[in-house]
Amino acid sequence: MKNIVIKVGGSLLLTKQNRINNDFISQFCQIIRQGKKYDQIIIICGGGSLAREYITFLRNKGINEALCDSIGINISQINSKMMIACLKDISYPKVPNNLEDLSLALQFGKIIVMGGIQPGQSTTSVAMEVAEFINAPRVIILTDVQGIYDKDPAKNKDAKLIKSLSYDELNNLLMKVSSSSQSAAGEYRIFDLVSLQILRRSQLEVFITSGQNLEEFRKLLLEDKKINGTLISI
Ligand code: UTP
């Protein structure tokens, strides 16, 4: 049995100006269509800057974090619907809202696309929960940077990519980031503590890499080739 979960960051689906990224989506769908060696592929879509736009607006109006999260979930589900439409006949037509919906969707042998499922977490956590649920040993996270760095690469030119991390090393890295901003709606960064907990208890392997060069992703997914990124494992 070969199952895989792929998380696609919202930053790849939508540009910073909130325009839909046609090039990325078309190319990504083409690669997924070739993934016949997998028994089950599940794609998790993030909410991106559009989710953050709604969340920031509502937070400034004094709306609680739970409601902000639920708007984020809705946006990630709209992105998922768009992905389902683009994958056409190879995808299950409905976005599962929870693990029960997912177990039903799994009966049909099609590619499943889903977004958020409950407040208080990120779509990365959903990817971990889903991998746990379908016994997928590996999760691929596609984002807009090459992986996890020792410093924020947007702010530090000398930031170095970390090629591999154990669960404990990742924990130490996450603890350095301010704990309050880690858990606000829209602010669960490239990896978070909820995701780490699930990762640890089910001993999943996660590979984080850039979705900006999809040829690299194709080599990883279809040919099991080594590419640049961060591997998180026990
Ligand atoms: P993400 O922040 O996970 O989307 O979900 P993203 O754009 O992929 O994130 P990056 O760019 O890779 O970091 C959007 C928001 O939806 C809510 C959270 O508020 C989250 O920040 N959400 C998502 C939930 O509350 N629960 C979920 O299960 C998933």
Side-chain angles (χ1 to χ4, degrees), residues 24 27-28 31 38 138 140-143 145-146 161 163 207-229:
F24 172 84
Q27 233 186 310
F28 178 78
I31 296 168
Y38 293 99
R138 196 168 220 224
I140 298 175
I141 298 181
L142 291 182
T143 182
V145 289
Q146 203 64 58
L161 178 70
K163 296 233 160 139
F207 191 72
I208 303 173
T209 189
S210 169
Q212 280 160 343
N213 183 347
L214 281 172
E215 177 49 25
E216 290 286 286
F217 168 64
R218 191 191 64 75
K219 285 186 199 154
L220 173 75
L221 186 76
L222 306 179
E223 298 168 11
D224 288 321
K225 290 243 168 81
K226 271 202 165 188
I227 65 163
N228 232 357

PDB file of all heavy atoms in Angstrom, residues 24 27-28 31 38 138 140-143 145-146 161 163 207-229:
ATOM      1  N   PHE A  24       0.832  27.578 -11.667  1.00  0.00           N
ATOM      2  CA  PHE A  24       1.104  26.587 -10.627  1.00  0.00           C
ATOM      3  C   PHE A  24       0.027  25.500 -10.642  1.00  0.00           C
ATOM      4  O   PHE A  24       0.327  24.303 -10.661  1.00  0.00           O
ATOM      5  CB  PHE A  24       1.158  27.240  -9.222  1.00  0.00           C
ATOM      6  CG  PHE A  24       1.255  26.214  -8.135  1.00  0.00           C
ATOM      7  CD1 PHE A  24       2.491  25.687  -7.777  1.00  0.00           C
ATOM      8  CD2 PHE A  24       0.113  25.714  -7.506  1.00  0.00           C
ATOM      9  CE1 PHE A  24       2.595  24.692  -6.801  1.00  0.00           C
ATOM     10  CE2 PHE A  24       0.203  24.717  -6.535  1.00  0.00           C
ATOM     11  CZ  PHE A  24       1.446  24.207  -6.191  1.00  0.00           C
ATOM     12  N   GLN A  27       0.139  23.107 -13.766  1.00  0.00           N
ATOM     13  CA  GLN A  27       1.312  22.221 -13.743  1.00  0.00           C
ATOM     14  C   GLN A  27       1.188  21.176 -12.630  1.00  0.00           C
ATOM     15  O   GLN A  27       1.514  20.015 -12.821  1.00  0.00           O
ATOM     16  CB  GLN A  27       2.561  23.071 -13.490  1.00  0.00           C
ATOM     17  CG  GLN A  27       3.661  22.853 -14.511  1.00  0.00           C
ATOM     18  CD  GLN A  27       4.894  23.633 -14.093  1.00  0.00           C
ATOM     19  OE1 GLN A  27       4.810  24.820 -13.798  1.00  0.00           O
ATOM     20  NE2 GLN A  27       6.032  22.972 -14.035  1.00  0.00           N
ATOM     21  N   PHE A  28       0.714  21.641 -11.466  1.00  0.00           N
ATOM     22  CA  PHE A  28       0.554  20.738 -10.318  1.00  0.00           C
ATOM     23  C   PHE A  28      -0.435  19.615 -10.669  1.00  0.00           C
ATOM     24  O   PHE A  28      -0.162  18.434 -10.432  1.00  0.00           O
ATOM     25  CB  PHE A  28       0.077  21.544  -9.096  1.00  0.00           C
ATOM     26  CG  PHE A  28      -0.177  20.717  -7.870  1.00  0.00           C
ATOM     27  CD1 PHE A  28       0.880  20.280  -7.074  1.00  0.00           C
ATOM     28  CD2 PHE A  28      -1.476  20.353  -7.505  1.00  0.00           C
ATOM     29  CE1 PHE A  28       0.653  19.501  -5.938  1.00  0.00           C
ATOM     30  CE2 PHE A  28      -1.715  19.575  -6.379  1.00  0.00           C
ATOM     31  CZ  PHE A  28      -0.647  19.148  -5.596  1.00  0.00           C
ATOM     32  N   ILE A  31       1.045  16.939 -12.904  1.00  0.00           N
ATOM     33  CA  ILE A  31       1.928  16.002 -12.177  1.00  0.00           C
ATOM     34  C   ILE A  31       1.093  15.002 -11.381  1.00  0.00           C
ATOM     35  O   ILE A  31       1.361  13.806 -11.400  1.00  0.00           O
ATOM     36  CB  ILE A  31       2.915  16.778 -11.266  1.00  0.00           C
ATOM     37  CG1 ILE A  31       3.842  17.645 -12.123  1.00  0.00           C
ATOM     38  CG2 ILE A  31       3.724  15.816 -10.383  1.00  0.00           C
ATOM     39  CD1 ILE A  31       4.654  18.668 -11.359  1.00  0.00           C
ATOM     40  N   TYR A  38       0.668   5.548  -6.760  1.00  0.00           N
ATOM     41  CA  TYR A  38       0.127   5.646  -5.395  1.00  0.00           C
ATOM     42  C   TYR A  38      -1.282   5.053  -5.335  1.00  0.00           C
ATOM     43  O   TYR A  38      -2.076   5.231  -6.249  1.00  0.00           O
ATOM     44  CB  TYR A  38       0.072   7.119  -4.958  1.00  0.00           C
ATOM     45  CG  TYR A  38       1.453   7.713  -4.793  1.00  0.00           C
ATOM     46  CD1 TYR A  38       2.017   8.482  -5.798  1.00  0.00           C
ATOM     47  CD2 TYR A  38       2.193   7.470  -3.645  1.00  0.00           C
ATOM     48  CE1 TYR A  38       3.297   9.011  -5.661  1.00  0.00           C
ATOM     49  CE2 TYR A  38       3.471   7.998  -3.498  1.00  0.00           C
ATOM     50  CZ  TYR A  38       4.014   8.759  -4.513  1.00  0.00           C
ATOM     51  OH  TYR A  38       5.276   9.268  -4.368  1.00  0.00           O
ATOM     52  N   ARG A 138       4.364   9.170   4.725  1.00  0.00           N
ATOM     53  CA  ARG A 138       5.058  10.396   4.341  1.00  0.00           C
ATOM     54  C   ARG A 138       4.099  11.518   3.947  1.00  0.00           C
ATOM     55  O   ARG A 138       3.077  11.270   3.304  1.00  0.00           O
ATOM     56  CB  ARG A 138       5.943  10.069   3.134  1.00  0.00           C
ATOM     57  CG  ARG A 138       6.986  11.114   2.886  1.00  0.00           C
ATOM     58  CD  ARG A 138       7.997  10.629   1.889  1.00  0.00           C
ATOM     59  NE  ARG A 138       9.308  11.059   2.313  1.00  0.00           N
ATOM     60  CZ  ARG A 138      10.199  11.576   1.475  1.00  0.00           C
ATOM     61  NH1 ARG A 138       9.943  11.664   0.212  1.00  0.00           N
ATOM     62  NH2 ARG A 138      11.375  11.962   1.915  1.00  0.00           N
ATOM     63  N   ILE A 140       4.244  15.376   2.087  1.00  0.00           N
ATOM     64  CA  ILE A 140       5.053  16.392   1.399  1.00  0.00           C
ATOM     65  C   ILE A 140       4.365  17.738   1.615  1.00  0.00           C
ATOM     66  O   ILE A 140       3.151  17.863   1.408  1.00  0.00           O
ATOM     67  CB  ILE A 140       5.162  16.104  -0.119  1.00  0.00           C
ATOM     68  CG1 ILE A 140       5.867  14.767  -0.373  1.00  0.00           C
ATOM     69  CG2 ILE A 140       5.899  17.245  -0.835  1.00  0.00           C
ATOM     70  CD1 ILE A 140       5.903  14.350  -1.845  1.00  0.00           C
ATOM     71  N   ILE A 141       5.135  18.717   2.055  1.00  0.00           N
ATOM     72  CA  ILE A 141       4.588  20.071   2.213  1.00  0.00           C
ATOM     73  C   ILE A 141       5.216  20.963   1.164  1.00  0.00           C
ATOM     74  O   ILE A 141       6.439  21.153   1.141  1.00  0.00           O
ATOM     75  CB  ILE A 141       4.860  20.633   3.624  1.00  0.00           C
ATOM     76  CG1 ILE A 141       4.174  19.756   4.671  1.00  0.00           C
ATOM     77  CG2 ILE A 141       4.396  22.085   3.729  1.00  0.00           C
ATOM     78  CD1 ILE A 141       4.349  20.228   6.108  1.00  0.00           C
ATOM     79  N   LEU A 142       4.374  21.500   0.286  1.00  0.00           N
ATOM     80  CA  LEU A 142       4.868  22.444  -0.724  1.00  0.00           C
ATOM     81  C   LEU A 142       4.583  23.855  -0.228  1.00  0.00           C
ATOM     82  O   LEU A 142       3.440  24.188   0.105  1.00  0.00           O
ATOM     83  CB  LEU A 142       4.148  22.222  -2.055  1.00  0.00           C
ATOM     84  CG  LEU A 142       4.459  20.928  -2.790  1.00  0.00           C
ATOM     85  CD1 LEU A 142       3.695  20.883  -4.119  1.00  0.00           C
ATOM     86  CD2 LEU A 142       5.954  20.791  -3.056  1.00  0.00           C
ATOM     87  N   THR A 143       5.631  24.666  -0.219  1.00  0.00           N
ATOM     88  CA  THR A 143       5.455  26.032   0.272  1.00  0.00           C
ATOM     89  C   THR A 143       6.226  27.001  -0.632  1.00  0.00           C
ATOM     90  O   THR A 143       6.658  26.608  -1.717  1.00  0.00           O
ATOM     91  CB  THR A 143       5.875  26.085   1.775  1.00  0.00           C
ATOM     92  OG1 THR A 143       5.658  27.395   2.253  1.00  0.00           O
ATOM     93  CG2 THR A 143       7.318  25.678   1.998  1.00  0.00           C
ATOM     94  N   VAL A 145       9.010  28.693   0.172  1.00  0.00           N
ATOM     95  CA  VAL A 145      10.465  28.701   0.412  1.00  0.00           C
ATOM     96  C   VAL A 145      10.970  27.269   0.283  1.00  0.00           C
ATOM     97  O   VAL A 145      10.174  26.336   0.171  1.00  0.00           O
ATOM     98  CB  VAL A 145      10.830  29.286   1.802  1.00  0.00           C
ATOM     99  CG1 VAL A 145      10.598  30.788   1.850  1.00  0.00           C
ATOM    100  CG2 VAL A 145      10.060  28.591   2.918  1.00  0.00           C
ATOM    101  N   GLN A 146      12.297  27.104   0.323  1.00  0.00           N
ATOM    102  CA  GLN A 146      12.878  25.792   0.032  1.00  0.00           C
ATOM    103  C   GLN A 146      12.716  24.771   1.168  1.00  0.00           C
ATOM    104  O   GLN A 146      12.908  23.577   0.967  1.00  0.00           O
ATOM    105  CB  GLN A 146      14.362  26.005  -0.309  1.00  0.00           C
ATOM    106  CG  GLN A 146      14.974  24.908  -1.145  1.00  0.00           C
ATOM    107  CD  GLN A 146      14.357  24.773  -2.531  1.00  0.00           C
ATOM    108  OE1 GLN A 146      14.354  25.726  -3.299  1.00  0.00           O
ATOM    109  NE2 GLN A 146      13.795  23.621  -2.848  1.00  0.00           N
ATOM    110  N   LEU A 161      19.447  26.800   4.877  1.00  0.00           N
ATOM    111  CA  LEU A 161      18.428  25.744   4.815  1.00  0.00           C
ATOM    112  C   LEU A 161      18.868  24.570   5.698  1.00  0.00           C
ATOM    113  O   LEU A 161      20.021  24.132   5.633  1.00  0.00           O
ATOM    114  CB  LEU A 161      18.273  25.274   3.361  1.00  0.00           C
ATOM    115  CG  LEU A 161      17.278  24.144   3.134  1.00  0.00           C
ATOM    116  CD1 LEU A 161      15.834  24.631   3.345  1.00  0.00           C
ATOM    117  CD2 LEU A 161      17.417  23.560   1.732  1.00  0.00           C
ATOM    118  N   LYS A 163      18.725  20.799   6.243  1.00  0.00           N
ATOM    119  CA  LYS A 163      18.372  19.662   5.368  1.00  0.00           C
ATOM    120  C   LYS A 163      17.617  18.563   6.099  1.00  0.00           C
ATOM    121  O   LYS A 163      16.785  17.883   5.504  1.00  0.00           O
ATOM    122  CB  LYS A 163      19.645  19.094   4.736  1.00  0.00           C
ATOM    123  CG  LYS A 163      20.314  20.121   3.819  1.00  0.00           C
ATOM    124  CD  LYS A 163      20.553  19.540   2.466  1.00  0.00           C
ATOM    125  CE  LYS A 163      20.737  20.667   1.478  1.00  0.00           C
ATOM    126  NZ  LYS A 163      21.733  20.518   0.511  1.00  0.00           N
ATOM    127  N   PHE A 207       8.428  15.882   4.396  1.00  0.00           N
ATOM    128  CA  PHE A 207       9.426  16.539   3.550  1.00  0.00           C
ATOM    129  C   PHE A 207       8.861  17.885   3.114  1.00  0.00           C
ATOM    130  O   PHE A 207       7.806  17.957   2.486  1.00  0.00           O
ATOM    131  CB  PHE A 207       9.770  15.670   2.335  1.00  0.00           C
ATOM    132  CG  PHE A 207      10.972  16.186   1.595  1.00  0.00           C
ATOM    133  CD1 PHE A 207      12.244  16.059   2.136  1.00  0.00           C
ATOM    134  CD2 PHE A 207      10.836  16.843   0.384  1.00  0.00           C
ATOM    135  CE1 PHE A 207      13.365  16.555   1.488  1.00  0.00           C
ATOM    136  CE2 PHE A 207      11.953  17.349  -0.285  1.00  0.00           C
ATOM    137  CZ  PHE A 207      13.217  17.195   0.265  1.00  0.00           C
ATOM    138  N   ILE A 208       9.560  18.954   3.502  1.00  0.00           N
ATOM    139  CA  ILE A 208       9.114  20.310   3.148  1.00  0.00           C
ATOM    140  C   ILE A 208       9.978  20.820   2.016  1.00  0.00           C
ATOM    141  O   ILE A 208      11.215  20.773   2.092  1.00  0.00           O
ATOM    142  CB  ILE A 208       9.242  21.264   4.358  1.00  0.00           C
ATOM    143  CG1 ILE A 208       8.435  20.724   5.548  1.00  0.00           C
ATOM    144  CG2 ILE A 208       8.780  22.673   3.999  1.00  0.00           C
ATOM    145  CD1 ILE A 208       8.623  21.503   6.834  1.00  0.00           C
ATOM    146  N   THR A 209       9.341  21.293   0.959  1.00  0.00           N
ATOM    147  CA  THR A 209      10.126  21.813  -0.168  1.00  0.00           C
ATOM    148  C   THR A 209       9.350  22.928  -0.878  1.00  0.00           C
ATOM    149  O   THR A 209       8.186  23.190  -0.560  1.00  0.00           O
ATOM    150  CB  THR A 209      10.511  20.667  -1.143  1.00  0.00           C
ATOM    151  OG1 THR A 209      11.437  21.178  -2.105  1.00  0.00           O
ATOM    152  CG2 THR A 209       9.305  20.090  -1.866  1.00  0.00           C
ATOM    153  N   SER A 210      10.024  23.564  -1.823  1.00  0.00           N
ATOM    154  CA  SER A 210       9.388  24.670  -2.543  1.00  0.00           C
ATOM    155  C   SER A 210       8.467  24.148  -3.645  1.00  0.00           C
ATOM    156  O   SER A 210       8.803  23.203  -4.344  1.00  0.00           O
ATOM    157  CB  SER A 210      10.464  25.559  -3.158  1.00  0.00           C
ATOM    158  OG  SER A 210       9.856  26.471  -4.040  1.00  0.00           O
ATOM    159  N   GLY A 211       7.313  24.801  -3.773  1.00  0.00           N
ATOM    160  CA  GLY A 211       6.396  24.444  -4.870  1.00  0.00           C
ATOM    161  C   GLY A 211       6.635  25.350  -6.062  1.00  0.00           C
ATOM    162  O   GLY A 211       5.901  25.305  -7.047  1.00  0.00           O
ATOM    163  N   GLN A 212       7.661  26.206  -5.949  1.00  0.00           N
ATOM    164  CA  GLN A 212       7.886  27.146  -7.048  1.00  0.00           C
ATOM    165  C   GLN A 212       8.609  26.502  -8.216  1.00  0.00           C
ATOM    166  O   GLN A 212       8.546  26.995  -9.333  1.00  0.00           O
ATOM    167  CB  GLN A 212       8.612  28.389  -6.520  1.00  0.00           C
ATOM    168  CG  GLN A 212       7.605  29.306  -5.841  1.00  0.00           C
ATOM    169  CD  GLN A 212       8.219  30.288  -4.887  1.00  0.00           C
ATOM    170  OE1 GLN A 212       9.365  30.135  -4.454  1.00  0.00           O
ATOM    171  NE2 GLN A 212       7.460  31.298  -4.523  1.00  0.00           N
ATOM    172  N   ASN A 213       9.302  25.383  -7.957  1.00  0.00           N
ATOM    173  CA  ASN A 213       9.906  24.625  -9.047  1.00  0.00           C
ATOM    174  C   ASN A 213       9.244  23.248  -9.080  1.00  0.00           C
ATOM    175  O   ASN A 213       9.676  22.312  -8.420  1.00  0.00           O
ATOM    176  CB  ASN A 213      11.423  24.509  -8.827  1.00  0.00           C
ATOM    177  CG  ASN A 213      12.095  23.779  -9.975  1.00  0.00           C
ATOM    178  OD1 ASN A 213      11.445  23.161 -10.811  1.00  0.00           O
ATOM    179  ND2 ASN A 213      13.416  23.833 -10.000  1.00  0.00           N
ATOM    180  N   LEU A 214       8.186  23.158  -9.869  1.00  0.00           N
ATOM    181  CA  LEU A 214       7.394  21.923  -9.841  1.00  0.00           C
ATOM    182  C   LEU A 214       8.083  20.750 -10.526  1.00  0.00           C
ATOM    183  O   LEU A 214       7.711  19.602 -10.321  1.00  0.00           O
ATOM    184  CB  LEU A 214       6.003  22.175 -10.421  1.00  0.00           C
ATOM    185  CG  LEU A 214       5.046  22.864  -9.435  1.00  0.00           C
ATOM    186  CD1 LEU A 214       3.753  23.261 -10.128  1.00  0.00           C
ATOM    187  CD2 LEU A 214       4.739  21.987  -8.243  1.00  0.00           C
ATOM    188  N   GLU A 215       9.107  21.042 -11.338  1.00  0.00           N
ATOM    189  CA  GLU A 215       9.873  19.962 -11.961  1.00  0.00           C
ATOM    190  C   GLU A 215      10.580  19.147 -10.859  1.00  0.00           C
ATOM    191  O   GLU A 215      10.650  17.924 -10.919  1.00  0.00           O
ATOM    192  CB  GLU A 215      10.879  20.558 -12.971  1.00  0.00           C
ATOM    193  CG  GLU A 215      11.794  19.572 -13.662  1.00  0.00           C
ATOM    194  CD  GLU A 215      11.104  18.344 -14.275  1.00  0.00           C
ATOM    195  OE1 GLU A 215       9.916  18.418 -14.600  1.00  0.00           O
ATOM    196  OE2 GLU A 215      11.770  17.300 -14.381  1.00  0.00           O
ATOM    197  N   GLU A 216      11.047  19.844  -9.835  1.00  0.00           N
ATOM    198  CA  GLU A 216      11.685  19.184  -8.687  1.00  0.00           C
ATOM    199  C   GLU A 216      10.656  18.332  -7.941  1.00  0.00           C
ATOM    200  O   GLU A 216      10.926  17.204  -7.570  1.00  0.00           O
ATOM    201  CB  GLU A 216      12.276  20.240  -7.735  1.00  0.00           C
ATOM    202  CG  GLU A 216      13.482  20.944  -8.295  1.00  0.00           C
ATOM    203  CD  GLU A 216      14.713  20.055  -8.283  1.00  0.00           C
ATOM    204  OE1 GLU A 216      15.255  19.854  -7.194  1.00  0.00           O
ATOM    205  OE2 GLU A 216      15.093  19.552  -9.357  1.00  0.00           O
ATOM    206  N   PHE A 217       9.485  18.898  -7.731  1.00  0.00           N
ATOM    207  CA  PHE A 217       8.407  18.164  -7.049  1.00  0.00           C
ATOM    208  C   PHE A 217       8.055  16.905  -7.853  1.00  0.00           C
ATOM    209  O   PHE A 217       7.833  15.838  -7.288  1.00  0.00           O
ATOM    210  CB  PHE A 217       7.186  19.081  -6.891  1.00  0.00           C
ATOM    211  CG  PHE A 217       5.929  18.365  -6.472  1.00  0.00           C
ATOM    212  CD1 PHE A 217       5.849  17.736  -5.240  1.00  0.00           C
ATOM    213  CD2 PHE A 217       4.823  18.310  -7.323  1.00  0.00           C
ATOM    214  CE1 PHE A 217       4.682  17.061  -4.853  1.00  0.00           C
ATOM    215  CE2 PHE A 217       3.663  17.640  -6.947  1.00  0.00           C
ATOM    216  CZ  PHE A 217       3.597  17.017  -5.714  1.00  0.00           C
ATOM    217  N   ARG A 218       8.024  17.021  -9.171  1.00  0.00           N
ATOM    218  CA  ARG A 218       7.705  15.869 -10.027  1.00  0.00           C
ATOM    219  C   ARG A 218       8.715  14.736  -9.810  1.00  0.00           C
ATOM    220  O   ARG A 218       8.350  13.569  -9.665  1.00  0.00           O
ATOM    221  CB  ARG A 218       7.696  16.304 -11.512  1.00  0.00           C
ATOM    222  CG  ARG A 218       7.114  15.271 -12.454  1.00  0.00           C
ATOM    223  CD  ARG A 218       7.376  15.618 -13.907  1.00  0.00           C
ATOM    224  NE  ARG A 218       8.799  15.616 -14.219  1.00  0.00           N
ATOM    225  CZ  ARG A 218       9.537  14.524 -14.359  1.00  0.00           C
ATOM    226  NH1 ARG A 218       8.990  13.330 -14.251  1.00  0.00           N
ATOM    227  NH2 ARG A 218      10.828  14.608 -14.605  1.00  0.00           N
ATOM    228  N   LYS A 219       9.994  15.109  -9.741  1.00  0.00           N
ATOM    229  CA  LYS A 219      11.052  14.103  -9.535  1.00  0.00           C
ATOM    230  C   LYS A 219      10.873  13.418  -8.190  1.00  0.00           C
ATOM    231  O   LYS A 219      11.071  12.224  -8.050  1.00  0.00           O
ATOM    232  CB  LYS A 219      12.427  14.769  -9.575  1.00  0.00           C
ATOM    233  CG  LYS A 219      12.868  15.136 -10.977  1.00  0.00           C
ATOM    234  CD  LYS A 219      14.303  15.652 -10.899  1.00  0.00           C
ATOM    235  CE  LYS A 219      14.659  16.446 -12.122  1.00  0.00           C
ATOM    236  NZ  LYS A 219      15.708  17.428 -11.863  1.00  0.00           N
ATOM    237  N   LEU A 220      10.516  14.200  -7.185  1.00  0.00           N
ATOM    238  CA  LEU A 220      10.333  13.653  -5.840  1.00  0.00           C
ATOM    239  C   LEU A 220       9.135  12.703  -5.797  1.00  0.00           C
ATOM    240  O   LEU A 220       9.216  11.574  -5.330  1.00  0.00           O
ATOM    241  CB  LEU A 220      10.118  14.817  -4.854  1.00  0.00           C
ATOM    242  CG  LEU A 220       9.739  14.450  -3.431  1.00  0.00           C
ATOM    243  CD1 LEU A 220      10.952  13.919  -2.675  1.00  0.00           C
ATOM    244  CD2 LEU A 220       9.179  15.664  -2.682  1.00  0.00           C
ATOM    245  N   LEU A 221       8.014  13.171  -6.321  1.00  0.00           N
ATOM    246  CA  LEU A 221       6.770  12.403  -6.216  1.00  0.00           C
ATOM    247  C   LEU A 221       6.764  11.168  -7.114  1.00  0.00           C
ATOM    248  O   LEU A 221       6.355  10.090  -6.688  1.00  0.00           O
ATOM    249  CB  LEU A 221       5.581  13.310  -6.597  1.00  0.00           C
ATOM    250  CG  LEU A 221       4.199  12.693  -6.397  1.00  0.00           C
ATOM    251  CD1 LEU A 221       3.835  12.677  -4.909  1.00  0.00           C
ATOM    252  CD2 LEU A 221       3.129  13.454  -7.169  1.00  0.00           C
ATOM    253  N   LEU A 222       7.239  11.347  -8.342  1.00  0.00           N
ATOM    254  CA  LEU A 222       7.083  10.264  -9.319  1.00  0.00           C
ATOM    255  C   LEU A 222       8.312   9.382  -9.451  1.00  0.00           C
ATOM    256  O   LEU A 222       8.215   8.232  -9.836  1.00  0.00           O
ATOM    257  CB  LEU A 222       6.708  10.836 -10.700  1.00  0.00           C
ATOM    258  CG  LEU A 222       5.478  11.755 -10.721  1.00  0.00           C
ATOM    259  CD1 LEU A 222       5.232  12.278 -12.120  1.00  0.00           C
ATOM    260  CD2 LEU A 222       4.230  11.022 -10.211  1.00  0.00           C
ATOM    261  N   GLU A 223       9.491   9.929  -9.134  1.00  0.00           N
ATOM    262  CA  GLU A 223      10.720   9.147  -9.338  1.00  0.00           C
ATOM    263  C   GLU A 223      11.501   8.909  -8.041  1.00  0.00           C
ATOM    264  O   GLU A 223      12.614   8.391  -8.091  1.00  0.00           O
ATOM    265  CB  GLU A 223      11.619   9.872 -10.355  1.00  0.00           C
ATOM    266  CG  GLU A 223      10.963  10.002 -11.727  1.00  0.00           C
ATOM    267  CD  GLU A 223      11.709  10.968 -12.641  1.00  0.00           C
ATOM    268  OE1 GLU A 223      12.837  11.387 -12.319  1.00  0.00           O
ATOM    269  OE2 GLU A 223      11.138  11.333 -13.686  1.00  0.00           O
ATOM    270  N   ASP A 224      10.943   9.331  -6.922  1.00  0.00           N
ATOM    271  CA  ASP A 224      11.613   9.190  -5.616  1.00  0.00           C
ATOM    272  C   ASP A 224      13.031   9.742  -5.625  1.00  0.00           C
ATOM    273  O   ASP A 224      13.912   9.229  -4.928  1.00  0.00           O
ATOM    274  CB  ASP A 224      11.652   7.709  -5.171  1.00  0.00           C
ATOM    275  CG  ASP A 224      10.291   7.209  -4.750  1.00  0.00           C
ATOM    276  OD1 ASP A 224       9.569   7.985  -4.109  1.00  0.00           O
ATOM    277  OD2 ASP A 224       9.950   6.059  -5.093  1.00  0.00           O
ATOM    278  N   LYS A 225      13.254  10.795  -6.415  1.00  0.00           N
ATOM    279  CA  LYS A 225      14.590  11.400  -6.496  1.00  0.00           C
ATOM    280  C   LYS A 225      14.818  12.321  -5.305  1.00  0.00           C
ATOM    281  O   LYS A 225      13.876  12.881  -4.744  1.00  0.00           O
ATOM    282  CB  LYS A 225      14.705  12.214  -7.790  1.00  0.00           C
ATOM    283  CG  LYS A 225      14.747  11.356  -9.050  1.00  0.00           C
ATOM    284  CD  LYS A 225      16.079  11.530  -9.776  1.00  0.00           C
ATOM    285  CE  LYS A 225      16.278  10.485 -10.854  1.00  0.00           C
ATOM    286  NZ  LYS A 225      15.586  10.815 -12.100  1.00  0.00           N
ATOM    287  N   LYS A 226      16.090  12.503  -4.949  1.00  0.00           N
ATOM    288  CA  LYS A 226      16.442  13.431  -3.858  1.00  0.00           C
ATOM    289  C   LYS A 226      16.382  14.846  -4.392  1.00  0.00           C
ATOM    290  O   LYS A 226      16.962  15.130  -5.448  1.00  0.00           O
ATOM    291  CB  LYS A 226      17.865  13.142  -3.390  1.00  0.00           C
ATOM    292  CG  LYS A 226      17.896  12.111  -2.303  1.00  0.00           C
ATOM    293  CD  LYS A 226      19.176  12.232  -1.493  1.00  0.00           C
ATOM    294  CE  LYS A 226      18.950  11.440  -0.225  1.00  0.00           C
ATOM    295  NZ  LYS A 226      19.921  11.538   0.746  1.00  0.00           N
ATOM    296  N   ILE A 227      15.693  15.733  -3.692  1.00  0.00           N
ATOM    297  CA  ILE A 227      15.683  17.142  -4.095  1.00  0.00           C
ATOM    298  C   ILE A 227      15.958  18.001  -2.865  1.00  0.00           C
ATOM    299  O   ILE A 227      15.949  17.505  -1.744  1.00  0.00           O
ATOM    300  CB  ILE A 227      14.342  17.550  -4.779  1.00  0.00           C
ATOM    301  CG1 ILE A 227      13.167  17.466  -3.786  1.00  0.00           C
ATOM    302  CG2 ILE A 227      14.059  16.710  -6.012  1.00  0.00           C
ATOM    303  CD1 ILE A 227      11.941  18.221  -4.268  1.00  0.00           C
ATOM    304  N   ASN A 228      16.152  19.286  -3.097  1.00  0.00           N
ATOM    305  CA  ASN A 228      16.430  20.214  -2.004  1.00  0.00           C
ATOM    306  C   ASN A 228      15.204  20.418  -1.110  1.00  0.00           C
ATOM    307  O   ASN A 228      14.107  20.607  -1.627  1.00  0.00           O
ATOM    308  CB  ASN A 228      16.813  21.574  -2.617  1.00  0.00           C
ATOM    309  CG  ASN A 228      18.102  22.071  -2.067  1.00  0.00           C
ATOM    310  OD1 ASN A 228      18.708  21.447  -1.182  1.00  0.00           O
ATOM    311  ND2 ASN A 228      18.552  23.208  -2.581  1.00  0.00           N
ATOM    312  N   GLY A 229      15.391  20.406   0.183  1.00  0.00           N
ATOM    313  CA  GLY A 229      14.275  20.618   1.091  1.00  0.00           C
ATOM    314  C   GLY A 229      14.665  20.215   2.501  1.00  0.00           C
ATOM    315  O   GLY A 229      15.842  19.948   2.776  1.00  0.00           O
TER     316      GLY A 229
END
